[in-house]
Structures are given as C-alpha cells and as structure tokens.
Amino acid sequence: MAKAIRISRTGGPEVLEYVDVEVGAPGPGQARVRHEAIGVNFIDVYFRSGLYPQPLPAGLGMEGAGVVEAIGEGVTEVAVGERVAYTGRPNGAYADVRNMPADILLRLPDAISFETGAAMMMQGLTVQYLFKRTTSLKAGDTILFHAAAGGVGLIAAQWARAIGVNMIGTVGSQAKADLAMAHGCAHVINYNTENFVERVKEITGGKKVSVVYDSIGKDTFIGSLDCLRPLGLMVSFGNASGPVPDFSLGELASRGSLFITRPTLFSYAASRAELEEMAADLFAMVASGKVKIDVRQRYPLAEAARAHADLEGRKTTGSSVLLP
C-alpha cells in the first residue's frame, strides 16, 4: 500500500485526508512514478475548495518529480529507472507512488535536483509561456507582475532580469519586497502601504506598462487595467483573491483599446512537442543559473493541510514542496 492525500468533500484544509491507497501495475500508456518531491500550487487549493470542480472522492496535486518504477504497454516517452518531472492532470501528485500518463513525463537532467524539479515545472513553465508566447517580451519592456515574491513571481523576476525586461512587482510586506528585489525586480510596490496604480504611474513617468500579469484576481483586476498604457495587454492567469467580477468590455475601450487574455498552462502545452519545447527552454534557464528555483517551504506529505493553510494565509514565499 502507498500513502496519498485524498478528499471526499470540498472545503478548507481540514478536508485533506492522509490515507492508504492501492497502486497496481501501470496500464497501457502509463508509467508508475515513485515521488521524491511533490509541488504545491494554488491551483491545488482551487480543486480542494471546489472552485474548480472534479468528481469526488479525488486526489490533489499536479506536479512532482521522482523515478520511473514501471511502464505499461506502448510507453516510449520514458524508461524504468529514469529521473522524471511533470506537471499536468489528472490530479493525484500528493502521493508516495502513482500511475500516470507517460506522455506528460519529462526526463529530468541530472544537474537538477528532485526538489527543484518538483517545484519548478508548473511555475517555471507558466513563466515560460507568459513571457515567450502569451506575448513575446523583449529587452527594455516594462511590465507589472503581481505576487512577485511567490513561486511564479520569483521565477518571473529572474527571467525578466535575464532578458533585460524591467519588472515592477507587487508584494504584501517589506520582507517580501526585499526578496523580490534580490531576485531581479527593477521596482517593488508594497500594496498594503502604497497605491500600486499611482506608484506604477510614478515609476514610469506616467507612461504606465505594456503588460500586466495578474494572478490575484478580484482584488487587483480593475487597478491592473488602470496600470496599462493604450493597446496594453492584461494577462489574468489566476484568482488567488477570488474570481474576477463581471465587467463591461467598455472598460477596455475607455482605457485605450486594451487587450485581455485568460490563459492556462495546459492550453499552451497541449501537445507533446509543445511541452518538450517549453521544458527545454525552462531546463536551459535553470541549468544556466540565470533562474534559480527557491524552495523555501518543505512539508511532510502527511502535513499537506498545513501547507495549504500557509499558502492561503500568504505565509509562504518562493516555492513549497511536500516530501513523501
């Protein structure tokens, strides 16, 4: 028997149950992976709370790293004994061992640790598509990135610095501001003590920014639109404070014909070829040292509820992992 986190109902962290599960042989197209580390992401909270529905009972977790123990019929993507990392559905990464689709597994370079691999796949691939494909940033661009001291934000700050992009980050405390600056932000705004819209205008000399990356949602959405210059792009890629409220398209017109998109990683990595190309870019950035994955919280798998409580309570910085 293996150990795993399961939920039989939606709700707060208390609904997470640490249980025994049976893991059989992998089926056709599957591989059995023994995890060495498991990533914790805000999307896990959305599934746990019911914001993102799924059939119950269910597992949680979409990211991990470990070793392939067995493969099913027809698997060519990986071999037994290989180090792998992944992000993607189906949920169920919060487990010692699991069977999963082999076509989302990626060979993890020896130079990258299991903890780094588990912490970087969802967050790192998110930054890759946000910066390379949602819009193609270039040196000299000025952007606003909310939650700059979180896992995605710290990767984004380093990536932005590496390509010559001026990243203005928002955070909720002085400690987080210091962290974001150390990782590459050109400017940091503490939204608890400053009006981030007015500060963006001050920093840019009234020109504002070409792109806003907003994973906060309800609390920052309208302010984010106010930070964009005409023809700017609003990238709403999360809703940590709640879903974005309904709004009129006239809000975009009145601010200078703005663009808006609500992207997801899994739309950009829909094919194996796209996934491999994105991962190669991420692995190269990490291997080069230009982007370092900052794993700042580690929890035993059995304490996944504490990890969720800390994440929702904004007590975390950088990336968090569960250790089986």
Side-chain angles (χ1 to χ4, degrees):
M1 300 292 285
K3 288 291 189 179
I5 297 293
R6 293 287 187 268
I7 60 171
S8 56
R9 59 190 175 92
T10 57
E14 71 280 356
V15 305
L16 300 181
E17 301 175 89
Y18 187 56
V19 299
D20 293 317
V21 294
E22 187 81 39
V23 181
Q30 290 186 327
R32 188 171 72 231
V33 176
R34 179 166 294 277
H35 288 131
E36 296 290 339
I38 301 150
V40 178
N41 296 283
F42 226 100
I43 194 171
D44 306 339
V45 172
Y46 300 156
F47 279 107
R48 188 211 71 217
S49 69
L51 179 63
Y52 291 179
Q54 64 175 335
L56 297 176
L60 286 180
M62 303 177 72
E63 181 178 49
V67 177
V68 176
E69 286 193 331
I71 58 174
E73 181 183 350
V75 171
T76 59
E77 294 87 356
V78 294
V80 172
E82 287 187 324
R83 304 169 77 251
V84 294
Y86 68 89
T87 185
R89 299 189 71 173
N91 280 331
Y94 290 12
D96 291 341
V97 184
R98 69 180 297 205
N99 289 325
M100 56 185 305
D103 62 1
I104 68 168
L105 295 175
L106 294 156
R107 293 181 180 88
L108 186 66
D110 290 340
I112 299 176
S113 72
F114 286 118
E115 283 194 10
T116 296
M120 79 179 188
M121 296 304 294
M122 179 171 286
Q123 295 170 348
L125 290 174
T126 295
V127 174
Q128 197 279 340
Y129 86 75
L130 288 176
F131 281 11
K132 291 290 194 72
R133 298 179 64 194
T134 300
T135 185
S136 184
L137 295 179
K138 61 185 184 302
D141 285 343
T142 299
I143 64 173
L144 176 65
F145 206 105
H146 289 292
V152 177
L154 293 184
I155 295 172
Q158 296 174 81
W159 204 307
R161 179 172 57 187
I163 62 177
V165 168
N166 301 310
M167 177 167 146
I168 303 170
T170 69
V171 297
S173 70
Q174 186 56 50
K176 290 185 176 183
D178 294 342
L179 186 63
M181 285 293 290
H183 280 73
C185 279
H187 303 273
V188 178
I189 301 166
N190 183 340
Y191 54 73
N192 284 323
T193 60
E194 302 174 281
N195 181 308
F196 75 83
V197 177
E198 294 305 315
R199 281 291 292 131
V200 166
K201 291 177 182 176
E202 291 173 10
I203 291 167
T204 62
K207 294 180 180 179
K208 299 190 278 191
V209 300
S210 58
V211 188
V212 175
Y213 296 98
D214 190 340
S215 62
I216 303 300
K218 177 173 65 70
D219 290 351
T220 52
F221 180 74
I222 295 299
S224 292
L225 295 181
D226 289 335
C227 291
L228 284 165
R229 65 185 58 165
L231 306 185
L233 174 64
M234 171 68 178
V235 183
S236 176
F237 70 101
N239 34 247
S241 67
V244 172
D246 292 341
F247 71 100
S248 167
L249 286 177
E251 300 284 353
L252 305 180
S254 66
R255 289 170 173 81
S257 301
L258 302 181
F259 295 85
I260 187 167
T261 182
R262 179 57 174 91
T264 68
L265 168 61
F266 305 111
S267 296
Y268 282 90
S271 72
R272 177 73 184 183
E274 289 171 318
L275 176 61
E276 289 181 342
E277 182 179 352
M278 293 167 65
D281 194 15
L282 172 61
F283 291 162
M285 289 293 281
V286 173
S288 73
K290 294 177 181 177
V291 170
K292 293 180 172 63
I293 307 303
D294 199 355
V295 180
R296 301 177 71 87
Q297 294 82 216
R298 297 168 177 85
Y299 306 85
L301 176 61
E303 296 181 21
R306 181 162 65 91
H308 275 224
D310 288 351
L311 186 63
E312 289 180 282
R314 299 187 179 182
K315 296 178 181 178
T316 65
T317 54
S319 301
S320 302
V321 295
L322 301 175
L323 301 176

mmCIF file of all heavy atoms in Angstrom, residues 39-42 63 87 118-130 145 150-156 159 237 265 282 293-294 311 318-320:
data_model
loop_
_atom_site.group_PDB
_atom_site.id
_atom_site.type_symbol
_atom_site.label_atom_id
_atom_site.label_comp_id
_atom_site.label_asym_id
_atom_site.label_seq_id
_atom_site.Cartn_x
_atom_site.Cartn_y
_atom_site.Cartn_z
ATOM 1 N N GLY A 39 5.216 19.117 -5.838
ATOM 2 C CA GLY A 39 4.990 20.554 -5.830
ATOM 3 C C GLY A 39 3.631 20.921 -5.247
ATOM 4 O O GLY A 39 2.656 20.171 -5.383
ATOM 5 N N VAL A 40 3.575 22.072 -4.591
ATOM 6 C CA VAL A 40 2.320 22.614 -4.046
ATOM 7 C C VAL A 40 2.035 23.923 -4.778
ATOM 8 O O VAL A 40 2.876 24.823 -4.811
ATOM 9 C CB VAL A 40 2.434 22.879 -2.531
ATOM 10 C CG1 VAL A 40 1.135 23.480 -1.991
ATOM 11 C CG2 VAL A 40 2.784 21.599 -1.793
ATOM 12 N N ASN A 41 0.841 24.031 -5.363
ATOM 13 C CA ASN A 41 0.472 25.197 -6.157
ATOM 14 C C ASN A 41 -0.925 25.676 -5.786
ATOM 15 O O ASN A 41 -1.742 24.907 -5.269
ATOM 16 C CB ASN A 41 0.508 24.851 -7.645
ATOM 17 C CG ASN A 41 1.900 24.490 -8.111
ATOM 18 O OD1 ASN A 41 2.743 25.345 -8.320
ATOM 19 N ND2 ASN A 41 2.160 23.192 -8.267
ATOM 20 N N PHE A 42 -1.214 26.948 -6.106
ATOM 21 C CA PHE A 42 -2.513 27.496 -5.732
ATOM 22 C C PHE A 42 -3.655 26.793 -6.462
ATOM 23 O O PHE A 42 -4.784 26.744 -5.961
ATOM 24 C CB PHE A 42 -2.567 29.008 -5.982
ATOM 25 C CG PHE A 42 -3.156 29.744 -4.816
ATOM 26 C CD1 PHE A 42 -2.342 30.391 -3.895
ATOM 27 C CD2 PHE A 42 -4.524 29.773 -4.603
ATOM 28 C CE1 PHE A 42 -2.876 31.056 -2.800
ATOM 29 C CE2 PHE A 42 -5.069 30.435 -3.516
ATOM 30 C CZ PHE A 42 -4.245 31.073 -2.612
ATOM 31 N N GLU A 63 1.913 18.192 -9.817
ATOM 32 C CA GLU A 63 3.331 18.416 -10.093
ATOM 33 C C GLU A 63 4.179 17.544 -9.181
ATOM 34 O O GLU A 63 3.927 17.439 -7.987
ATOM 35 C CB GLU A 63 3.638 19.889 -9.847
ATOM 36 C CG GLU A 63 5.057 20.307 -10.094
ATOM 37 C CD GLU A 63 5.219 21.806 -9.869
ATOM 38 O OE1 GLU A 63 4.763 22.318 -8.827
ATOM 39 O OE2 GLU A 63 5.821 22.462 -10.735
ATOM 40 N N THR A 87 4.205 18.168 -14.792
ATOM 41 C CA THR A 87 3.042 18.885 -14.292
ATOM 42 C C THR A 87 1.888 18.584 -15.229
ATOM 43 O O THR A 87 2.079 18.465 -16.444
ATOM 44 C CB THR A 87 3.290 20.399 -14.191
ATOM 45 O OG1 THR A 87 2.148 21.021 -13.581
ATOM 46 C CG2 THR A 87 3.526 21.040 -15.541
ATOM 47 N N ALA A 118 10.428 19.228 -8.815
ATOM 48 C CA ALA A 118 9.038 19.220 -8.357
ATOM 49 C C ALA A 118 8.496 20.624 -8.193
ATOM 50 O O ALA A 118 7.305 20.873 -8.401
ATOM 51 C CB ALA A 118 8.929 18.467 -7.038
ATOM 52 N N ALA A 119 9.376 21.561 -7.806
ATOM 53 C CA ALA A 119 8.920 22.924 -7.520
ATOM 54 C C ALA A 119 8.838 23.797 -8.754
ATOM 55 O O ALA A 119 8.177 24.843 -8.728
ATOM 56 C CB ALA A 119 9.858 23.572 -6.507
ATOM 57 N N MET A 120 9.485 23.396 -9.848
ATOM 58 C CA MET A 120 9.634 24.341 -10.954
ATOM 59 C C MET A 120 8.742 24.076 -12.146
ATOM 60 O O MET A 120 8.580 24.960 -12.993
ATOM 61 C CB MET A 120 11.083 24.353 -11.444
ATOM 62 C CG MET A 120 11.453 23.193 -12.339
ATOM 63 S SD MET A 120 13.177 23.353 -12.881
ATOM 64 C CE MET A 120 13.231 22.031 -14.080
ATOM 65 N N MET A 121 8.151 22.899 -12.247
ATOM 66 C CA MET A 121 7.505 22.558 -13.510
ATOM 67 C C MET A 121 6.299 23.443 -13.805
ATOM 68 O O MET A 121 6.233 24.103 -14.845
ATOM 69 C CB MET A 121 7.112 21.084 -13.526
ATOM 70 C CG MET A 121 8.300 20.127 -13.472
ATOM 71 S SD MET A 121 9.503 20.414 -14.795
ATOM 72 C CE MET A 121 8.526 19.966 -16.213
ATOM 73 N N MET A 122 5.338 23.496 -12.896
ATOM 74 C CA MET A 122 4.157 24.312 -13.163
ATOM 75 C C MET A 122 4.509 25.792 -13.165
ATOM 76 O O MET A 122 4.135 26.533 -14.088
ATOM 77 C CB MET A 122 3.051 24.035 -12.145
ATOM 78 C CG MET A 122 1.808 24.896 -12.372
ATOM 79 S SD MET A 122 0.403 24.426 -11.349
ATOM 80 C CE MET A 122 -0.102 22.912 -12.156
ATOM 81 N N GLN A 123 5.246 26.228 -12.166
ATOM 82 C CA GLN A 123 5.561 27.649 -12.061
ATOM 83 C C GLN A 123 6.515 28.095 -13.163
ATOM 84 O O GLN A 123 6.335 29.144 -13.786
ATOM 85 C CB GLN A 123 6.146 27.927 -10.680
ATOM 86 C CG GLN A 123 5.138 27.687 -9.563
ATOM 87 C CD GLN A 123 5.760 27.723 -8.176
ATOM 88 O OE1 GLN A 123 6.988 27.705 -8.021
ATOM 89 N NE2 GLN A 123 4.913 27.770 -7.155
ATOM 90 N N GLY A 124 7.536 27.293 -13.435
ATOM 91 C CA GLY A 124 8.510 27.657 -14.454
ATOM 92 C C GLY A 124 7.939 27.619 -15.858
ATOM 93 O O GLY A 124 8.207 28.518 -16.672
ATOM 94 N N LEU A 125 7.146 26.595 -16.155
ATOM 95 C CA LEU A 125 6.520 26.531 -17.478
ATOM 96 C C LEU A 125 5.491 27.652 -17.639
ATOM 97 O O LEU A 125 5.289 28.155 -18.750
ATOM 98 C CB LEU A 125 5.864 25.166 -17.694
ATOM 99 C CG LEU A 125 6.819 23.983 -17.858
ATOM 100 C CD1 LEU A 125 6.048 22.674 -17.925
ATOM 101 C CD2 LEU A 125 7.703 24.139 -19.095
ATOM 102 N N THR A 126 4.869 28.048 -16.536
ATOM 103 C CA THR A 126 3.943 29.186 -16.597
ATOM 104 C C THR A 126 4.681 30.453 -17.014
ATOM 105 O O THR A 126 4.232 31.180 -17.911
ATOM 106 C CB THR A 126 3.246 29.385 -15.245
ATOM 107 O OG1 THR A 126 2.411 28.250 -14.974
ATOM 108 C CG2 THR A 126 2.400 30.646 -15.237
ATOM 109 N N VAL A 127 5.810 30.726 -16.379
ATOM 110 C CA VAL A 127 6.585 31.917 -16.754
ATOM 111 C C VAL A 127 7.055 31.802 -18.202
ATOM 112 O O VAL A 127 7.023 32.789 -18.956
ATOM 113 C CB VAL A 127 7.783 32.103 -15.806
ATOM 114 C CG1 VAL A 127 8.664 33.258 -16.282
ATOM 115 C CG2 VAL A 127 7.296 32.370 -14.381
ATOM 116 N N GLN A 128 7.462 30.618 -18.612
ATOM 117 C CA GLN A 128 7.932 30.437 -19.990
ATOM 118 C C GLN A 128 6.872 30.843 -20.999
ATOM 119 O O GLN A 128 7.147 31.632 -21.911
ATOM 120 C CB GLN A 128 8.347 28.976 -20.210
ATOM 121 C CG GLN A 128 9.207 28.734 -21.428
ATOM 122 C CD GLN A 128 8.422 28.635 -22.743
ATOM 123 O OE1 GLN A 128 7.213 28.378 -22.736
ATOM 124 N NE2 GLN A 128 9.091 28.829 -23.856
ATOM 125 N N TYR A 129 5.650 30.358 -20.826
ATOM 126 C CA TYR A 129 4.632 30.712 -21.826
ATOM 127 C C TYR A 129 4.168 32.151 -21.667
ATOM 128 O O TYR A 129 3.864 32.826 -22.661
ATOM 129 C CB TYR A 129 3.466 29.718 -21.813
ATOM 130 C CG TYR A 129 2.351 29.962 -20.828
ATOM 131 C CD1 TYR A 129 1.406 30.967 -21.023
ATOM 132 C CD2 TYR A 129 2.194 29.136 -19.710
ATOM 133 C CE1 TYR A 129 0.364 31.172 -20.127
ATOM 134 C CE2 TYR A 129 1.161 29.337 -18.808
ATOM 135 C CZ TYR A 129 0.246 30.361 -19.018
ATOM 136 O OH TYR A 129 -0.777 30.565 -18.133
ATOM 137 N N LEU A 130 4.116 32.657 -20.420
ATOM 138 C CA LEU A 130 3.699 34.049 -20.223
ATOM 139 C C LEU A 130 4.653 35.021 -20.910
ATOM 140 O O LEU A 130 4.230 36.019 -21.495
ATOM 141 C CB LEU A 130 3.636 34.377 -18.732
ATOM 142 C CG LEU A 130 2.495 33.755 -17.918
ATOM 143 C CD1 LEU A 130 2.651 34.113 -16.450
ATOM 144 C CD2 LEU A 130 1.128 34.190 -18.431
ATOM 145 N N PHE A 145 3.989 42.809 -12.450
ATOM 146 C CA PHE A 145 3.759 41.408 -12.103
ATOM 147 C C PHE A 145 3.332 41.344 -10.645
ATOM 148 O O PHE A 145 4.099 41.684 -9.743
ATOM 149 C CB PHE A 145 5.038 40.592 -12.305
ATOM 150 C CG PHE A 145 4.822 39.130 -12.573
ATOM 151 C CD1 PHE A 145 4.975 38.614 -13.849
ATOM 152 C CD2 PHE A 145 4.451 38.266 -11.547
ATOM 153 C CE1 PHE A 145 4.769 37.269 -14.109
ATOM 154 C CE2 PHE A 145 4.241 36.922 -11.792
ATOM 155 C CZ PHE A 145 4.410 36.418 -13.086
ATOM 156 N N GLY A 150 6.023 35.329 -4.685
ATOM 157 C CA GLY A 150 5.561 33.949 -4.720
ATOM 158 C C GLY A 150 6.435 33.099 -5.631
ATOM 159 O O GLY A 150 7.404 33.580 -6.231
ATOM 160 N N GLY A 151 6.092 31.826 -5.744
ATOM 161 C CA GLY A 151 6.897 30.925 -6.560
ATOM 162 C C GLY A 151 6.999 31.364 -8.002
ATOM 163 O O GLY A 151 8.094 31.417 -8.587
ATOM 164 N N VAL A 152 5.862 31.683 -8.630
ATOM 165 C CA VAL A 152 5.877 32.148 -10.013
ATOM 166 C C VAL A 152 6.580 33.498 -10.108
ATOM 167 O O VAL A 152 7.387 33.738 -11.013
ATOM 168 C CB VAL A 152 4.444 32.238 -10.573
ATOM 169 C CG1 VAL A 152 4.453 32.803 -11.996
ATOM 170 C CG2 VAL A 152 3.776 30.867 -10.573
ATOM 171 N N GLY A 153 6.296 34.370 -9.150
ATOM 172 C CA GLY A 153 6.853 35.712 -9.186
ATOM 173 C C GLY A 153 8.372 35.742 -9.106
ATOM 174 O O GLY A 153 9.030 36.514 -9.822
ATOM 175 N N LEU A 154 8.952 34.905 -8.250
ATOM 176 C CA LEU A 154 10.416 34.902 -8.116
ATOM 177 C C LEU A 154 11.087 34.345 -9.367
ATOM 178 O O LEU A 154 12.172 34.800 -9.759
ATOM 179 C CB LEU A 154 10.835 34.100 -6.883
ATOM 180 C CG LEU A 154 10.445 34.702 -5.533
ATOM 181 C CD1 LEU A 154 10.997 33.859 -4.390
ATOM 182 C CD2 LEU A 154 10.926 36.141 -5.390
ATOM 183 N N ILE A 155 10.465 33.360 -10.001
ATOM 184 C CA ILE A 155 10.993 32.866 -11.276
ATOM 185 C C ILE A 155 10.869 33.951 -12.330
ATOM 186 O O ILE A 155 11.797 34.208 -13.112
ATOM 187 C CB ILE A 155 10.256 31.590 -11.702
ATOM 188 C CG1 ILE A 155 10.541 30.454 -10.715
ATOM 189 C CG2 ILE A 155 10.661 31.175 -13.127
ATOM 190 C CD1 ILE A 155 9.705 29.205 -10.947
ATOM 191 N N ALA A 156 9.716 34.627 -12.359
ATOM 192 C CA ALA A 156 9.489 35.688 -13.344
ATOM 193 C C ALA A 156 10.499 36.819 -13.186
ATOM 194 O O ALA A 156 11.016 37.355 -14.172
ATOM 195 C CB ALA A 156 8.068 36.226 -13.224
ATOM 196 N N TRP A 159 13.815 35.673 -14.617
ATOM 197 C CA TRP A 159 13.714 35.524 -16.067
ATOM 198 C C TRP A 159 13.689 36.901 -16.731
ATOM 199 O O TRP A 159 14.346 37.126 -17.750
ATOM 200 C CB TRP A 159 12.469 34.718 -16.418
ATOM 201 C CG TRP A 159 12.505 34.004 -17.741
ATOM 202 C CD1 TRP A 159 12.778 34.549 -18.959
ATOM 203 C CD2 TRP A 159 12.258 32.621 -17.966
ATOM 204 N NE1 TRP A 159 12.699 33.594 -19.945
ATOM 205 C CE2 TRP A 159 12.384 32.402 -19.371
ATOM 206 C CE3 TRP A 159 11.905 31.547 -17.161
ATOM 207 C CZ2 TRP A 159 12.186 31.150 -19.963
ATOM 208 C CZ3 TRP A 159 11.718 30.291 -17.741
ATOM 209 C CH2 TRP A 159 11.860 30.101 -19.115
ATOM 210 N N PHE A 237 -4.061 35.389 -15.075
ATOM 211 C CA PHE A 237 -3.748 33.957 -15.104
ATOM 212 C C PHE A 237 -3.987 33.254 -13.772
ATOM 213 O O PHE A 237 -3.505 32.145 -13.547
ATOM 214 C CB PHE A 237 -2.310 33.731 -15.609
ATOM 215 C CG PHE A 237 -1.215 34.168 -14.676
ATOM 216 C CD1 PHE A 237 -0.546 33.237 -13.899
ATOM 217 C CD2 PHE A 237 -0.832 35.496 -14.580
ATOM 218 C CE1 PHE A 237 0.494 33.620 -13.047
ATOM 219 C CE2 PHE A 237 0.195 35.892 -13.745
ATOM 220 C CZ PHE A 237 0.852 34.953 -12.969
ATOM 221 N N LEU A 265 -1.769 27.118 -18.555
ATOM 222 C CA LEU A 265 -0.590 26.363 -18.987
ATOM 223 C C LEU A 265 -0.976 25.221 -19.916
ATOM 224 O O LEU A 265 -0.304 24.956 -20.916
ATOM 225 C CB LEU A 265 0.140 25.826 -17.755
ATOM 226 C CG LEU A 265 1.226 24.771 -17.990
ATOM 227 C CD1 LEU A 265 2.341 25.321 -18.869
ATOM 228 C CD2 LEU A 265 1.783 24.284 -16.657
ATOM 229 N N LEU A 282 12.924 25.984 -20.252
ATOM 230 C CA LEU A 282 12.981 26.116 -18.799
ATOM 231 C C LEU A 282 14.225 25.440 -18.231
ATOM 232 O O LEU A 282 14.956 26.028 -17.414
ATOM 233 C CB LEU A 282 11.726 25.520 -18.170
ATOM 234 C CG LEU A 282 11.713 25.404 -16.646
ATOM 235 C CD1 LEU A 282 11.830 26.777 -15.986
ATOM 236 C CD2 LEU A 282 10.451 24.679 -16.175
ATOM 237 N N ILE A 293 15.552 28.120 -8.639
ATOM 238 C CA ILE A 293 14.254 27.793 -8.046
ATOM 239 C C ILE A 293 14.401 27.830 -6.529
ATOM 240 O O ILE A 293 15.159 27.052 -5.948
ATOM 241 C CB ILE A 293 13.757 26.414 -8.518
ATOM 242 C CG1 ILE A 293 13.774 26.334 -10.050
ATOM 243 C CG2 ILE A 293 12.364 26.148 -7.972
ATOM 244 C CD1 ILE A 293 12.962 27.403 -10.757
ATOM 245 N N ASP A 294 13.672 28.728 -5.915
ATOM 246 C CA ASP A 294 13.821 29.000 -4.483
ATOM 247 C C ASP A 294 12.792 28.197 -3.692
ATOM 248 O O ASP A 294 11.665 28.639 -3.486
ATOM 249 C CB ASP A 294 13.644 30.504 -4.254
ATOM 250 C CG ASP A 294 14.216 30.968 -2.937
ATOM 251 O OD1 ASP A 294 14.673 30.115 -2.163
ATOM 252 O OD2 ASP A 294 14.194 32.186 -2.672
ATOM 253 N N LEU A 311 -0.174 28.519 2.542
ATOM 254 C CA LEU A 311 -0.271 29.122 1.217
ATOM 255 C C LEU A 311 -1.423 30.125 1.158
ATOM 256 O O LEU A 311 -1.259 31.257 0.695
ATOM 257 C CB LEU A 311 -0.470 28.021 0.169
ATOM 258 C CG LEU A 311 -0.446 28.430 -1.305
ATOM 259 C CD1 LEU A 311 0.913 28.998 -1.689
ATOM 260 C CD2 LEU A 311 -0.771 27.227 -2.194
ATOM 261 N N GLY A 318 8.406 32.151 -2.332
ATOM 262 C CA GLY A 318 9.038 31.178 -3.192
ATOM 263 C C GLY A 318 8.167 29.943 -3.367
ATOM 264 O O GLY A 318 6.932 30.024 -3.371
ATOM 265 N N SER A 319 8.813 28.784 -3.492
ATOM 266 C CA SER A 319 8.106 27.537 -3.778
ATOM 267 C C SER A 319 7.997 26.650 -2.551
ATOM 268 O O SER A 319 8.821 26.738 -1.631
ATOM 269 C CB SER A 319 8.831 26.779 -4.894
ATOM 270 O OG SER A 319 8.895 27.555 -6.073
ATOM 271 N N SER A 320 6.979 25.801 -2.555
ATOM 272 C CA SER A 320 6.761 24.836 -1.471
ATOM 273 C C SER A 320 6.705 23.429 -2.051
ATOM 274 O O SER A 320 6.187 23.233 -3.154
ATOM 275 C CB SER A 320 5.452 25.121 -0.738
ATOM 276 O OG SER A 320 5.421 26.421 -0.204
#
